[in-house]
Amino acid sequence: MPDILRICCPHAEPRVIERLWKARRYRKLFNYLWVEFLMARGAVRLWGGRPYWLTVDPNNFCQLHCPFCPTGADRGVRGKAMMDLEHFRRLIDRLGPYVIHVDMMNWGESLLNKNLPEMIAAAKSHGIEVRLDANFNHVPDGMLDRLIRSGLDVLSLSIDGASAETYGRYRAGGDFERVMDNVRTLVRRRRELGRTSPWIVWQFLVFRHNEHERPRVAELARKLGVDQVSFVAPFIPNEPGFLWEWMALNPEYQLYPPPAAAPGDGEMLRARLSSQTRKTASMEPYYARRFGAASLLSAAYLRRLAAMAVREGEWGWLFERLAKILAYSWRTRSGFGSVPYRSAEGGRRPVCKWPWAGMAVNPNGSVSPCCSVEEERDDFGNVFKRSFSSLWNGRLYRDSRRHVSRFVRGRAGVMPEADHVCRRCTAIGVANFKFPNHSPYGSDPNVALAQPDLEGPGGGDPGSGKGLSSGLAPSPEPLSSSRGKR
């Protein structure tokens, strides 16, 4: 990359520039460089700049009950919706000339939207790289052929185990054998149709209970004909009980400092309940300040807590929860969970690209500043109900860019009690997006990890695949995924 570009656009990826130039996608290239330039100088208004990365959620409901996922745990922080095909087409026709990559998922199982292949085809008509994450438990008749023919570039399958027992620990309600059958059918139909896409990725969130299965996963993926295995460090609630129960022992898959000592019985019980209970938000009060006392002390919420206490015979745990809810809700500044992720090497603060380069669009058109924002009340507006320009350069987006720019330069800190979700975020630069390794735009030199034989460093143990993690932390401290993303 020329020195002038390196100076003006320090965060730009040379491979992206090269591929856009060779593909003669000059409009996308100019927008990419312009947005990177504005980001580097901390511009608050983006005159002429458009997002080059989109996360579009076709629907935000799912048949699984993953305990750390706001959808699976039924936290009720967003109204359920399914995106209309015409709404999607209007959105992609507006932004398609500038967008380089689209993730067609966020808080739900996208395969439940019957128009998904047509949405992907509409994005591909604008020369956009498209990725889809799916739990792959439910595949409607004919959907596989339509997906393959749509031009989908990457299909990432969220399978966190090599056996039904370990898989079901996090993917509650999932059927491991059914998923394996669907994968075999996908590989077979792709071969029969004479296609090389979509590129099939087995994404494996590495927890304490499944980390021993990584070599077995690599072997099973090879037999199935999967193209790549991606081992990902998941986002986990940052409390001792959850970390002790769920976080992998391998430091490579730890996003948090390990607990100094084993937690008490109450903490361990709550961590176990999170994987045993379906459709309940009652394991989330440790971030009570996000919701406020009014909602957490509502009759419906208290009934859920009481039901768990009765079932488990742990009334002391219930009273402890209520006390913490009140303490966190009324405390002017909570130190709890204020640093949920490990600092970058050398204490540097990485830039967050989302306010300048990315946009997350929910099924009803509500726009989140990034894919990690769980609650609809923190969104910036509705792209289906107002002009894009008024939203993109509106007050909330301007405040986001201003804060992130100051934070990265060390001139601002985390403000847990702020109304603006970006000011409350303790993961700025952590939940960033990155072009996939195997992508034409990817910049990871270890692209050999994506070969069908799955051989990687360490004799058959593929790399971690830590690009855009599908695991999410609770908002406002983003996030996966867990987006469990996904």
Side-chain angles (χ1 to χ4, degrees):
M1 187 166 67
D3 290 341
I4 185 65
L5 282 181
R6 191 175 293 109
I7 294 171
C8 296
C9 308
H11 306 296
E13 299 183 47
R15 186 175 177 86
V16 176
I17 299 173
E18 176 186 356
R19 295 295 298 195
L20 288 174
W21 177 263
K22 289 183 177 179
R24 299 183 179 181
R25 300 284 182 180
Y26 302 127
R27 196 171 183 181
K28 294 181 188 290
L29 175 59
F30 176 80
N31 181 71
Y32 177 74
L33 293 174
W34 181 239
V35 169
E36 289 287 332
F37 171 72
L38 294 175
M39 183 195 313
R41 65 185 295 270
V44 173
R45 292 182 183 271
L46 267 62
W47 300 118
R50 298 290 186 269
Y52 61 74
W53 185 287
L54 285 182
T55 292
V56 178
D57 203 0
N59 54 270
N60 61 350
F61 43 86
C62 181
Q63 72 275 54
L64 302 191
H65 308 286
C66 306
F68 303 148
C69 172
T71 304
D74 193 25
R75 294 176 192 163
V77 293
R78 286 189 182 275
K80 303 301 182 185
M82 180 176 291
M83 185 174 290
D84 181 75
L85 178 58
E86 290 308 312
H87 277 150
F88 177 83
R89 282 176 171 160
R90 286 202 295 269
L91 173 71
I92 211 67
D93 287 345
R94 179 70 175 83
L95 298 178
Y98 311 97
V99 172
I100 300 173
H101 179 99
V102 173
D103 279 337
M104 290 297 299
M105 71 287 167
N106 201 14
W107 300 117
E109 173 65 0
S110 300
L111 292 177
L112 297 177
N113 189 320
K114 65 180 181 179
N115 294 317
L116 178 64
E118 287 71 29
M119 293 178 176
I120 295 172
K124 293 302 297 179
S125 69
H126 289 279
I128 301 172
E129 178 184 68
V130 183
R131 173 190 172 107
L132 170 67
D133 283 26
N135 64 52
F136 229 47
N137 274 266
H138 173 71
V139 181
D141 293 341
M143 177 64 79
L144 289 182
D145 285 14
R146 293 167 63 206
L147 279 178
I148 294 170
R149 292 190 172 105
S150 71
L152 177 65
D153 294 286
V154 183
L155 177 55
S156 179
L157 308 176
S158 301
I159 311 172
D160 312 318
S163 63
E165 180 181 3
T166 53
Y167 172 80
R169 176 74 187 281
Y170 184 74
R171 303 288 168 183
D175 187 327
F176 180 76
E177 294 304 328
R178 180 188 301 166
V179 172
M180 292 295 101
D181 288 342
N182 289 336
V183 174
R184 294 185 187 96
T185 304
L186 170 65
V187 172
R188 175 175 57 80
R189 289 302 297 155
R190 185 181 65 170
R191 182 176 61 252
E192 292 172 352
L193 292 173
R195 302 295 185 97
T196 58
S197 62
W199 182 267
I200 304 172
V201 180
W202 180 327
Q203 179 184 268
F204 186 97
L205 297 181
V206 183
F207 296 105
R208 180 169 300 200
H209 66 270
N210 66 7
E211 60 183 326
H212 65 283
E213 289 191 335
R214 286 187 301 133
R216 185 178 172 190
V217 166
E219 178 62 27
L220 181 56
R222 182 185 297 110
K223 292 179 179 178
L224 290 172
V226 170
D227 300 306
Q228 179 183 353
V229 174
S230 179
F231 295 112
V232 178
F235 290 80
I236 299 170
N238 187 33
E239 279 197 358
F242 287 96
L243 298 181
W244 191 272
E245 182 83 2
W246 289 89
M247 191 168 69
L249 297 176
N250 187 334
E252 185 178 359
Y253 304 106
Q254 295 177 352
L255 294 178
Y256 316 83
D265 293 341
E267 295 286 347
M268 290 298 293
L269 172 64
R270 187 154 47 85
R272 292 192 180 97
L273 286 177
S274 70
S275 62
Q276 297 169 358
T277 306
R278 294 184 180 182
K279 301 184 75 62
T280 176
S282 53
M283 62 280 298
E284 302 309 323
Y286 55 89
Y287 269 127
R289 68 175 185 273
R290 294 178 45 226
F291 301 95
S295 60
L296 284 179
L297 294 179
S298 66
Y301 191 86
L302 291 177
R303 280 197 298 270
R304 289 185 181 182
L305 286 178
M308 290 184 67
V310 170
R311 183 169 61 252
E312 301 298 331
E314 287 288 335
W315 286 98
W317 171 83
L318 170 62
F319 294 130
E320 176 191 356
R321 289 295 89 206
L322 293 176
K324 286 191 175 183
I325 288 172
L326 294 174
Y328 294 156
S329 298
W330 293 338
R331 193 176 302 171
T332 56
R333 182 180 178 88
S334 172
F336 181 81
S338 59
V339 187
Y341 312 116
R342 290 182 169 179
S343 300
E345 183 180 354
R348 297 188 302 271
R349 289 180 171 181
V351 67
C352 176
K353 293 188 173 186
W354 279 99
W356 291 271
M359 176 179 281
V361 183
N362 295 286
N364 62 352
S366 187
V367 171
S368 303
C370 76
C371 66
S372 307
V373 176
E374 296 177 5
E375 297 186 57
E376 190 165 356
R377 68 178 183 178
D378 289 323
D379 288 350
F380 286 4
N382 193 302
V383 74
F384 297 158
K385 298 180 180 179
R386 58 187 289 191
S387 71
F388 173 81
S389 297
S390 67
L391 190 154
W392 188 233
N393 283 310
R395 179 182 60 84
L396 292 173
Y397 259 111
R398 296 199 308 271
D399 289 349
S400 175
R401 293 167 190 142
R402 185 179 295 111
H403 173 73
V404 172
S405 181
R406 287 173 53 81
F407 181 88
V408 170
R409 289 169 171 78
R411 299 174 183 172
V414 178
M415 294 175 273
E417 305 304 323
D419 291 333
H420 197 294
V421 64
C422 295
R423 291 176 179 168
R424 301 196 304 267
C425 180
T426 60
I428 292 176
V430 175
N432 240 331
F433 50 77
K434 177 183 177 183
F435 290 99
N437 298 346
H438 52 274
S439 162
Y441 306 108
S443 57
D444 195 319
N446 296 319
V447 72
L449 298 181
Q451 297 305 315
D453 63 2
L454 300 174
E455 290 297 324
D461 189 7
S464 65
K466 295 177 190 172
L468 175 64
S469 171
S470 290
L472 304 184
S475 293
E477 301 77 42
L479 289 176
S480 228
S481 263
S482 262
R483 164 195 173 284
K485 209 159 190 176
R486 235 153 291 289

